Amino acid sequence: MSITSEQVRAARALLRWEQRDLAEASGVSLPSIKRLETQPGVLAAQERTIVELRKALEKAGVEFIAKNGGGPGVRLLR
């Protein structure tokens, strides 16, 4: 499943993470995260970048939801 920049920002907000926290947890560079989050919609990145971002957020307790009342979303599982 693809994820959107809106989902990444929402996930960070749920975790109270700054972009720097996500960079450290995922191994994705801070400039890359900043760039990806400014572009609306599905993340325009290499598959491995998306996988690392998603893994880091899921490990921290975020669940990505494909459809939530008509659109993608996130929720905190803890």
Side-chain angles (χ1 to χ4, degrees), residues 38-51:
T38 62
Q39 301 170 356
V42 175
L43 291 182
Q46 294 182 13
E47 185 66 25
R48 67 183 168 157
T49 299
I50 296 168
V51 166

Side-chain angles (χ1 to χ4, degrees), residues 1-44:
M1 170 180 111
S2 59
I3 60 175
T4 66
S5 61
E6 294 83 3
Q7 284 176 296
V8 172
R9 288 194 310 274
R12 281 195 312 98
L14 286 171
L15 296 169
R16 298 178 186 222
W17 278 10
E18 300 292 329
Q19 290 174 328
R20 177 171 282 111
D21 299 315
L22 179 55
E24 290 173 9
S26 67
V28 175
S29 73
L30 181 57
S32 292
I33 291 171
K34 287 182 177 189
R35 178 183 54 80
L36 290 170
E37 286 193 1
T38 62
Q39 301 170 356
V42 175
L43 291 182

